[in-house]
Amino acid sequence: MVLEKVKEMLAERLDLSVDEITVESKFTDLGLDSLDMAEMLMNAEAEFGVTLEADASMDTVGALVARIESLK
C-alpha cells in the first residue's frame, strides 16, 4: 500500500510511468533535486499522517517507504 502510493506520487510529479519506479530507485536518478525532495516529503507527510526528516540515508524509494511504514 505505502509503496504503491509513493510510486504513484513520484510518477505523477516526475511524469514517469509507475513501472519505471522501483524500491531500488534513487531519488537523484529519478531527477529529484533537494526542493523536489522537500516537497515530496511534505506530500508524503500529509498523505500518510507522519512526520519525516530528510537525511542522507533516505535516498531510495525503498528507504522512504520503510521510514513511513516504521512511523505508522
Side-chain angles (χ1 to χ4, degrees):
M1 165 86 184
V2 174
L3 174 60
E4 291 80 13
K5 185 60 183 175
V6 168
K7 287 173 62 171
E8 288 173 12
M9 293 168 69
L10 284 166
E12 183 177 320
R13 176 164 198 77
L14 299 171
D15 197 28
L16 297 171
S17 163
V18 171
D19 296 332
E20 294 177 76
I21 303 168
T22 68
V23 292
E24 295 88 16
S25 296
K26 290 187 174 279
F27 293 116
T28 53
D29 293 343
L30 293 173
L32 264 73
D33 61 21
S34 59
L35 179 58
D36 291 326
M37 189 63 191
E39 289 180 18
M40 177 65 194
L41 291 178
M42 289 187 329
N43 291 340
E45 287 177 335
E47 178 68 32
F48 298 107
V50 297
T51 300
L52 298 166
E53 299 288 331
D55 64 51
S57 69
M58 202 166 39
D59 64 341
T60 65
V61 172
L64 174 59
V65 169
R67 181 73 54 83
I68 292 168
E69 289 176 340
S70 76
L71 297 170
K72 289 187 78 168

